């Protein structure tokens, strides 16, 4: 049975993530007390319906009960069960804006004097261990609902039990550092199409921009060295049992250099037989 624990910060999009998981065949349960987790997993395995994919949302709404989560997960593993943790996070100011727009109350606001920002910080502390142990980490700060749904589908539609998923992400430094990234490469040292009038409004997905960026000696040398590094590191991450590896390539605005180099890196990784997905975080900005 494929068993996924969905957790993360309030307002980061767990409900939308669960909707996406449900759409691809997961049996989903929201806000389960951690103490019931191992028993529920046992019931799922014994069920006549033969549940093969189950997702459980466990988060700070349970208050102090959340602290028992890892005892239950350890008990599951001792009984021979396996699980993956999907953690959703988001930048503080984006979360605060979302709570203001929806007029919903943060679950930890009352014990933090009604302050949303203090409640967010308290929740980060409460969930720190869950984030550290997460198999999949998604930062929804810059994602639309459709993009989050697509990311979930890419992660979980395939066989997640035996293969690491590599996510190649382009981004713009001017819009913030991608907190979910495991490896970050800065390509602002390469020639910038932004300063060519005919290319400024285009993106790295278009041939004119790709040719401008890739047909350079410095870019070819950068790619050679990058591919050697990634080819060396991927087996090491796989041997450590990592489920998701996020490689982020950043330029100034996230529309030109980072986009075409991310596409090229993903193609190289995919040609090696590795599961890979591409995400251009800031291409529409």
């Amino acid at each position: 049975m494929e068993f996924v624990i969905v957790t993360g910060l309030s307002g980061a999009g767990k409900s939308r993530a669960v909707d996406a998981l449900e759409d691809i065949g997961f049996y989903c349960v929201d806000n389960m007390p951690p103490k019931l987790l191992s028993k529920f997993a046992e019931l799922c395995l014994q069920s006549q319906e033969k549940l093969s994919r189950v997702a459980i949302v466990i988060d700070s709404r349970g208050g102090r009960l959340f602290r028992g989560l890892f005892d239950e997960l350890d008990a599951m593993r001792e009984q021979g069960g396996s699980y993956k943790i999907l953690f959703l996070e988001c930048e503080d100011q984006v979360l605060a804006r979302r709570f203001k727009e929806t007029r919903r109350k943060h679950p930890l606001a009352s014990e933090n004097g009604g302050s949303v920002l203090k409640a967010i910080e308290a929740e980060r502390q409460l969930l720190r261990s869950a984030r550290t142990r997460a198999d999949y980490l998604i930062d929804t700060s810059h994602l639309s609902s459709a993009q989050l749904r697509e990311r979930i589908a890419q992660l979980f539609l395939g066989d997640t039990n035996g293969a690491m998923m590599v996510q190649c992400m382009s981004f713009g430094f001017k819009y913030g550092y991608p907190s979910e990234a495991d490896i970050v490469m800065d390509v602002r040292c390469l020639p910038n199409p932004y300063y060519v009038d005919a290319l400024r409004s285009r993106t790295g997905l278009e041939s004119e921009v790709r040719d401008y960026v890739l047909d350079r000696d410095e870019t070819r040398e950068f790619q050679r060295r990058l591919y050697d590094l990634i080819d060396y590191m991927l087996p090491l991450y796989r041997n450590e049992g990592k489920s998701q590896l996020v490689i982020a390539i950043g330029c100034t605005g996230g529309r030109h250099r980072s986009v075409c180099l991310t596409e090229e890196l993903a193609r190289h990784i995919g040609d090696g037989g590795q599961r890979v997905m591409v995400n251009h975080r800031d291409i529409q900005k």
Side-chain angles (χ1 to χ4, degrees):
M1 181 176 66
E2 188 175 359
F3 206 87
V4 177
I5 309 298
V6 181
T7 189
L9 297 168
S10 300
K14 295 187 297 294
S15 296
R16 292 191 177 95
V18 167
D19 289 343
L21 288 168
E22 206 163 40
D23 287 345
I24 60 176
F26 277 81
Y27 179 81
C28 299
V29 180
D30 189 18
N31 201 18
M32 176 176 287
K35 287 291 185 182
L36 299 179
L37 186 59
S38 58
K39 186 63 177 178
F40 179 77
E42 182 182 340
L43 291 173
C44 288
L45 289 170
Q46 297 172 354
S47 170
Q48 293 183 350
E49 283 77 15
K50 304 288 185 184
L51 296 175
S52 60
R53 312 188 90 190
V54 176
I56 308 294
V57 180
I58 300 178
D59 55 30
S60 64
R61 286 174 293 174
R64 294 181 181 178
L65 293 174
F66 182 84
R67 301 184 191 278
L69 171 61
F70 293 108
D71 291 337
E72 286 296 302
L73 292 177
D74 291 341
M76 275 182 59
R77 192 151 279 173
E78 288 173 5
Q79 296 167 7
S82 62
Y83 60 86
K84 300 289 187 183
I85 297 177
L86 168 63
F87 190 97
L88 280 80
E89 67 175 4
C90 187
E91 296 170 2
D92 288 2
Q93 295 301 324
V94 176
L95 289 173
R97 186 182 71 243
R98 289 177 183 176
F99 277 102
K100 183 177 181 180
E101 290 172 349
T102 61
R103 298 186 179 180
R104 295 192 63 191
K105 183 180 179 181
H106 192 286
L108 301 184
S110 296
E111 57 194 81
N112 286 277
S115 168
V116 173
L117 289 176
K118 288 182 179 179
I120 292 170
E121 178 57 30
E123 188 174 42
R124 285 194 188 280
Q125 296 298 322
L126 178 65
L127 301 179
R128 179 174 293 177
S129 295
R131 187 188 188 282
T132 300
R133 293 177 60 166
D135 299 284
Y136 305 104
L137 177 64
I138 300 178
D139 185 339
T140 67
S141 304
H142 304 276
L143 296 182
S144 66
S145 296
Q147 288 172 324
L148 176 58
R149 181 179 294 273
E150 180 183 6
R151 187 82 61 82
I152 294 292
Q154 289 174 322
L155 284 175
F156 293 100
L157 269 179
D159 176 13
T160 62
N161 291 317
M164 178 176 70
M165 169 65 82
V166 178
Q167 179 189 159
C168 294
M169 171 194 295
S170 69
F171 73 98
F173 278 98
K174 67 187 291 185
Y175 300 113
Y177 181 90
S179 62
E180 70 266 49
D182 299 292
I183 301 171
V184 177
M185 303 303 298
D186 184 348
V187 297
R188 288 176 293 184
C189 57
L190 300 178
N192 192 352
Y194 178 84
Y195 295 109
V196 179
D197 290 342
L199 302 179
R200 184 172 301 153
S201 63
R202 298 181 180 273
T203 75
L205 296 178
E206 298 177 68
S207 59
E208 294 87 350
V209 175
R210 291 181 69 259
D211 292 344
Y212 180 90
V213 174
L214 298 178
D215 193 22
R216 303 287 179 124
D217 289 339
E218 55 264 58
T219 303
R220 284 190 283 266
E221 182 63 15
F222 173 84
Q223 288 180 287
R224 184 186 69 79
R225 294 176 184 236
L226 175 62
Y227 295 172
D228 284 346
L229 176 64
I230 297 302
D231 290 345
Y232 173 75
M233 296 178 73
L234 285 181
L236 301 181
Y237 280 111
R238 282 196 297 267
N239 292 341
E240 286 297 311
K242 194 166 180 63
S243 300
Q244 176 187 236
L245 180 71
V246 181
I247 305 172
I249 299 180
C251 61
T252 304
R255 286 175 50 85
H256 299 112
R257 294 166 290 182
S258 62
V259 170
C260 61
L261 286 166
T262 295
E263 289 284 332
E264 291 298 305
L265 176 61
R267 186 175 298 110
H268 172 79
I269 292 173
D271 288 345
Q274 172 68 52
R275 292 179 69 214
V276 63
M277 57 187 278
V278 177
N279 170 35
H280 299 303
R281 194 190 75 176
D282 300 323
I283 195 171
Q284 299 300 330
K285 292 189 173 72

